[in-house]
Amino acid sequence: MQLVLQLFSCRVTLETHHPVQSSGQKQSQQSSPDSSTPERGRGDVRQCIHVIREVGSAAHALQSQKQHKMAQFDKVSQKSKLHPKPEGLTLQYGTAGFRTHAKHLDHIMFRMGLLATLRSKKTKSTIGVMVTASHNPEEDNGVKLIDPMGEMVTAVWEGYATQLANAEQDSLLKELKDILEKEDIDVSEPASVYVGKDTRPSSASLSQAVLDGVSSLGGKTHDYGLVTTPQLHYMVCCCNTRGCYGSPTVEGYYQKLSQAFLQLTQNASNRTDDQKRLQVDGANGIGALKMREMEAFLRSELQVVLSNDGSSGKLNHMCGADYVKVQQKAPQGMNMGVGERCCSFDGDADRIVYYYTDSKGCFHLLDGDKIATLISTYLKELLTQAGLNLQIAVVQTAYANGSSTRYLEDVMKVVVCCTKTGVKHLHHAAQEYDIGVYFEANGHGTVLFSKAAQKQIQELVKDLNTNDERKQAVKLLESTINLINQTVGDAISDMLVIEAVLAIRGMSVQDWDAIYTDLPNRQLKVTVSDRRVIDTTDAERKAVTPEGLQDAIDSLVKKYKNARSFVRPSGTEDVVRVYAEADTQESADSLAHEVSLAVYRLAGGVGDEPKPLH
Ligand code: 16G
Ligand code: ZN
């Protein structure tokens, strides 16, 4: 097809050759039909030979491209037999990529290697593939694709991922060609894919399957081995910005973050060793390993006491950010002193939550909402001090505690925006502002600075005419930007930001906790025969279907004080999630139960009816 088009365009060149000649030339040609004007005639012949040669070499190039393509597809076909798809198995690229028991994932990994290669050819950039199942049990695994600037892959390509993953063995090439055609990808383009993995026992062979997929399509790989998810996002961004974002090595990451952290904590020089001490629960995962590596770079400005470091316990088992957030209790294996500042990473270190126990033994959780509040308040103050007129917004989901939203809007006068659950939605919304702080209540989040905002801050740093207070504030802003991993939520980077903010403002974890008091809340799940019967709107805060469900929720909420409740189908589990908050824990529990019953009755509940919590 391409060849025909090229030949056709050559013919057009030949035919239009004469009309563009001057009338004088035309005349002389007409008067010498035997081409007795030798120059002109020779010129035409030369031109024709040139065009024929071009056509010939184009045809040759296309021929060899075609051969190359065939050879490539042969290789894919051969290699894919080593990573066969179990017949009938279908999986979907969900909010967090593919995630299931590791034993079902070998073919998925190989195919995601193929897809990442295509994505790289399409975008002419390096693409990342991370092998991890985050906070899931150790037996599970998963995979996520990372786009050129370190963000999540687009929705259309998520669709291709599902399409490719579910193609039966004999139609894999057909699906591959379909994507190539739809996206108009030249298969002979070079490709580059960065691969990383977490510490799960299955991750080594699964990441090898990704590498096989890439190489079978002729792509180049860089295997980073064991890295946190946010470290791989960082590498991809560093590579595609040609080093502007940092150096694409693990050491480059440690250097960039630690330098910024040390610069920030210089502004809190009278901290005691006690204040520098932080207990970190590594979830027995990759975060623990990387924290150990980073320690030396922090030059004792942060004194980490690491537990669940992977030396004995099981990944995410009774520990890690998800366990602490869901169970609302301290992880096992951590020796917590009264009032001591502690935090937990999840299995791939892209989430973090803080907590402490008070003198009465009461457990206090500081989740993503509290983190967003601390960071946005700090940034807003710096903007005021620096005299910068930049708009700052906090992006939350429906799960954000009502108290946090009220505090941010009413007291801090910050714009608050609510999106659907899932990092990509929050990330996307945060890009709309000069400074977008986004956090899910579960502890995944970061801060995005627009290019214009970064430029303004950098220019002001250089501006020698600014007075001391302004200069100090703007320098802090600059270091804070360097400390934040803007590509994705990053437990290590977020932890360092939080530690720096607490140090600079001279706050204890208790002071931070006291900024506002969380409304008691409860999350439950209900099993229904098909969770897709629940459709939501208004950033998942209202149920559109099944009919009558939202009315039922509205009238239940009215029975309680300061109450709020919503339901949504989970994107990662075959259940419907129910959230409720109210003025007391009893009310929140009771409301959550009543809403669960409404879901069970109106949305096709299966199994036993939900039982009251008390
Ligand atoms: C995934 C999402 C997370 C979200 C969670 C909700 C990413 C990288 N992760 O883990 O942001 O909170 O799903 O799970 O987007 P759910 O739909 O089962 O409630
Ligand atoms: Zn995670």
Side-chain angles (χ1 to χ4, degrees):
M1 182 63 174
Q2 249 173 333
L3 181 70
V4 172
L5 275 176
Q6 287 211 6
L7 284 171
F8 180 66
S9 71
C10 283
R11 210 174 54 228
V12 171
T13 318
L14 277 170
E15 281 170 359
T16 53
H17 184 69
H18 289 298
V20 292
Q21 288 166 353
S22 70
S23 53
Q25 279 174 328
K26 238 187 210 167
Q27 284 265 302
S28 69
Q29 231 182 341
Q30 270 166 0
S31 61
S32 44
D34 59 350
S35 294
S36 56
T37 44
E39 266 320 297
R40 175 71 248 149
R42 266 206 295 273
D44 274 359
V45 171
R46 247 186 258 129
Q47 179 71 24
C48 284
I49 290 171
H50 177 68
V51 169
I52 287 162
R53 271 199 196 129
E54 266 188 2
V55 170
S57 67
H60 182 73
L62 279 168
Q63 186 61 27
S64 67
Q65 211 180 65
K66 212 171 158 189
Q67 279 167 356
H68 175 82
K69 207 165 161 179
M70 300 279 282
Q72 209 75 80
F73 286 149
D74 272 353
K75 201 165 170 198
V76 171
S77 182
Q78 289 305 316
K79 285 271 191 137
S80 75
K81 288 182 191 143
L82 302 174
H83 304 279
K85 172 183 179 294
E87 215 167 299
L89 176 70
T90 58
L91 292 166
Q92 200 180 349
Y93 194 99
T95 19
F98 290 105
R99 211 178 273 186
T100 186
H101 196 287
K103 67 181 179 201
H104 300 308
L105 284 169
D106 183 64
H107 69 294
I108 298 277
M109 297 292 167
F110 175 78
R111 292 165 184 216
M112 287 310 102
L114 296 177
L115 191 69
T117 313
L118 296 192
R119 183 77 181 140
S120 171
K121 288 173 192 278
K122 168 79 188 181
T123 57
K124 300 186 171 41
S125 310
T126 290
I127 296 296
V129 181
M130 182 68 197
V131 176
T132 179
S134 184
H135 56 275
N136 282 37
E138 191 169 278
E139 300 71 31
D140 285 0
N141 217 322
V143 61
K144 255 188 301 193
L145 260 57
I146 304 168
D147 247 8
M149 285 304 118
E151 69 278 40
M152 309 282 172
V153 80
T154 63
V156 172
W157 282 73
E158 284 185 0
Y160 294 150
T162 304
Q163 176 185 340
L164 208 57
N166 295 327
E168 292 305 334
Q169 202 61 29
D170 53 5
S171 53
L172 177 62
L173 285 187
K174 187 181 141 284
E175 297 297 347
L176 206 59
K177 287 176 187 166
D178 183 56
I179 300 168
L180 278 165
E181 213 160 275
K182 274 191 189 138
E183 291 291 326
D184 192 20
I185 296 167
D186 176 359
V187 82
S188 64
E189 281 278 340
S192 151
V193 178
Y194 283 2
V195 182
K197 60 169 183 267
D198 72 10
T199 54
R200 284 160 210 272
S202 60
S203 290
S205 70
L206 291 177
S207 77
Q208 187 53 51
V210 174
L211 296 167
D212 283 358
V214 180
S215 67
S216 74
L217 258 179
K220 280 211 176 102
T221 53
H222 183 125
D223 183 7
Y224 279 92
L226 293 167
V227 281
T228 69
T229 295
Q231 280 178 335
L232 192 68
H233 283 253
Y234 162 90
M235 304 300 173
V236 170
C237 183
C238 288
C239 172
N240 291 317
T241 56
R242 299 186 194 288
C244 283
Y245 195 63
S247 149
T249 60
V250 176
E251 179 149 344
Y253 170 92
Y254 296 143
Q255 256 156 6
K256 180 178 175 185
L257 266 59
S258 59
Q259 265 169 26
F261 179 72
L262 294 175
Q263 255 156 23
L264 284 172
T265 48
Q266 268 174 16
N267 297 277
S269 49
N270 51 359
R271 284 192 309 152
T272 62
D273 274 358
D274 262 0
Q275 287 165 328
K276 291 180 188 173
R277 199 176 121 99
L278 174 69
Q279 291 240 31
V280 178
D281 154 28
N284 289 318
I286 183 68
L289 226 82
K290 297 294 150 181
M291 210 45 246
R292 277 261 148 78
E293 284 177 14
M294 192 174 190
E295 248 177 324
F297 291 81
L298 297 170
R299 299 208 206 113
S300 308
E301 280 305 312
L302 184 66
Q303 293 164 20
V304 169
V305 182
L306 198 57
S307 51
N308 300 318
D309 64 355
S311 53
S312 54
K314 214 174 165 188
L315 177 71
N316 295 327
H317 183 64
M318 314 279 250
C319 61
D322 198 60
Y323 173 85
V324 173
K325 166 77 183 161
V326 174
Q327 304 291 324
Q328 308 252 341
K329 61 180 180 202
Q332 283 197 354
M334 185 184 261
N335 207 352
M336 280 170 80
V338 172
E340 213 180 339
R341 202 166 69 250
C342 307
C343 67
S344 285
F345 297 174
D346 75 337
D348 61 340
D350 64 352
R351 286 194 200 176
I352 186 169
V353 292
Y354 269 69
Y355 43 90
Y356 68 95
T357 2
D358 64 22
S359 53
K360 294 188 197 122
C362 196
F363 179 79
H364 294 253
L365 177 73
L366 294 97
D367 62 4
D369 302 335
K370 289 248 157 137
I371 298 173
T373 307
L374 180 76
I375 297 178
S376 57
T377 309
Y378 158 79
L379 290 173
K380 190 159 189 235
E381 267 180 27
L382 288 183
L383 288 178
T384 311
Q385 283 164 17
L388 280 165
N389 186 20
L390 294 171
Q391 192 184 32
I392 179 164
V394 176
V395 183
Q396 303 184 318
T397 70
Y399 288 108
N401 196 279
S403 287
S404 73
T405 315
R406 220 160 294 136
Y407 177 82
L408 287 164
E409 283 180 336
D410 301 350
V411 183
M412 288 311 300
K413 311 279 181 215
V414 165
V415 175
V416 180
C417 144
C418 184
T419 71
K420 281 164 74 172
T421 303
V423 173
K424 63 182 174 205
H425 301 296
L426 287 105
H427 191 92
H428 192 69
Q431 283 172 325
E432 298 297 310
Y433 302 92
D434 295 326
I435 301 176
V437 180
Y438 76 81
F439 270 90
E440 287 195 302
N442 63 27
H444 185 116
T446 186
V447 186
L448 304 184
F449 294 84
S450 72
K451 274 205 180 100
Q454 295 196 46
K455 197 163 165 241
Q456 270 195 50
I457 291 166
Q458 279 153 6
E459 275 168 8
L460 201 57
V461 171
K462 284 186 223 136
D463 185 354
L464 295 174
N465 295 324
T466 50
N467 64 33
D468 280 355
E469 196 206 2
R470 281 187 77 189
K471 196 178 248 173
Q472 165 86 349
V474 86
K475 273 190 173 167
L476 287 176
L477 277 170
E478 192 189 37
S479 299
T480 309
I481 293 175
N482 288 332
L483 186 52
I484 287 168
N485 185 345
Q486 294 192 53
T487 62
V488 77
D490 182 336
I492 293 179
S493 151
D494 289 340
M495 174 193 79
L496 294 174
V497 174
I498 293 163
E499 290 300 305
V501 174
L502 293 177
I504 291 166
R505 304 181 92 198
M507 283 170 86
S508 66
V509 67
Q510 291 77 8
D511 298 333
W512 171 21
D513 193 29
I515 293 180
Y516 66 82
T517 308
D518 272 326
L519 276 171
N521 57 85
R522 177 67 61 195
Q523 277 191 57
L524 295 174
K525 40 187 175 181
V526 185
T527 309
V528 297
S529 57
D530 181 2
R531 70 193 199 276
R532 288 173 301 182
V533 300
I534 299 204
D535 192 15
T536 63
T537 184
D538 189 21
E540 301 177 321
R541 289 174 291 193
K542 288 217 156 13
V544 184
T545 59
E547 220 186 302
L549 180 58
Q550 190 55 48
D551 289 343
I553 296 173
D554 289 343
S555 54
L556 290 170
V557 165
K558 278 195 197 120
K559 289 169 50 183
Y560 301 88
K561 213 175 146 202
N562 291 339
R564 188 170 71 88
S565 179
F566 67 89
V567 302
R568 54 175 282 276
S570 157
T572 63
E573 232 184 302
D574 194 10
V575 294
V576 175
R577 300 212 189 277
V578 172
Y579 176 89
E581 64 184 32
D583 61 335
T584 64
Q585 192 60 55
E586 288 67 36
S587 297
D589 289 352
S590 164
L591 175 58
H593 169 64
E594 289 194 281
V595 173
S596 298
L597 271 180
V599 170
Y600 182 86
R601 286 173 190 157
L602 296 167
V606 295
D608 293 341
E609 226 179 51
K611 301 259 174 320
L613 283 116
H614 303 288

